[in-house]
Amino acid sequence: MGRILAIDYGTKRTGLAVTDEMQIIASGLTTVETKQLLPFLKTYVLTENVEKIVVGLPKQMDNSASESEVYIQKFLVQLRKNLPQIPVDRVDERFTSKMAFQTMIDSGLKKKQRKNKALVDEISATLILQSYLSSK
């Protein structure tokens, strides 16, 4: 088995999370500037056995696509062109940012640490990945 990589795509920063090779535990990997995302992913899949990529699917409360979906669709075209050998799944990511922030509070992070948006993105990617694992 290979790792599953989750992406919480943002126009400025993108949070990444990954499973262990047994696909049991989801862990935050890093946050990358979005303009560096594809080069980062290409390098990562060369060094790690990535079986699947899961990308967050932002939706409104009425189940319609979020405004950011336009940017994600453009990214997905580039992702599939650059890494055609890796299948891509989508996972509803509603509330992951709020849940990530609450996770930071619950874990005792100080207010200054909770303002770290890169950490919120990484935790959001982890929550997306955990949701995906739970659905399987």
Side-chain angles (χ1 to χ4, degrees):
M1 292 175 84
R3 298 178 187 276
I4 300 173
L5 179 73
I7 299 175
D8 179 33
Y9 187 88
T11 55
K12 294 180 184 176
R13 288 174 318 280
T14 297
L16 301 171
V18 69
T19 65
D20 58 301
E21 292 216 349
M22 298 298 293
Q23 299 179 2
I24 297 170
I25 300 168
S27 303
L29 178 62
T30 191
T31 302
V32 178
E33 282 186 47
T34 299
K35 60 186 171 191
Q36 296 300 317
L37 181 57
L38 278 172
F40 177 89
L41 293 174
K42 286 199 263 184
T43 301
Y44 188 80
V45 300
L46 287 174
T47 59
E48 297 292 338
N49 179 20
V50 176
E51 181 178 302
K52 184 174 288 188
I53 296 174
V54 176
V55 179
L57 176 61
K59 293 184 177 185
Q60 303 287 357
M61 291 301 296
D62 66 0
N63 222 25
S64 64
S66 173
E67 301 156 8
S68 58
E69 181 63 14
V70 173
Y71 303 106
I72 295 170
Q73 284 299 320
K74 289 177 185 176
F75 164 71
L76 289 172
V77 169
Q78 292 302 312
L79 179 64
R80 289 182 176 118
K81 189 187 302 182
N82 284 277
L83 300 172
Q85 73 280 15
I86 301 176
V88 176
D89 278 348
R90 303 293 303 277
V91 174
D92 187 342
E93 68 170 47
R94 278 180 284 196
F95 309 115
T96 54
S97 292
K98 286 184 173 102
M99 290 168 54
F101 191 73
Q102 187 60 48
T103 299
M104 294 169 79
I105 291 169
D106 293 346
S107 66
L109 289 180
K110 295 186 182 352
K111 192 172 186 177
K112 185 175 181 181
Q113 293 169 305
R114 293 193 307 257
K115 289 183 180 181
N116 180 350
K117 292 185 181 182
L119 183 56
V120 172
D121 294 337
E122 187 177 322
I123 293 170
S124 293
T126 306
L127 292 169
I128 290 167
L129 187 51
Q130 285 175 334
S131 172
Y132 179 80
L133 292 173
S134 297
S135 71
K136 294 297 165 200

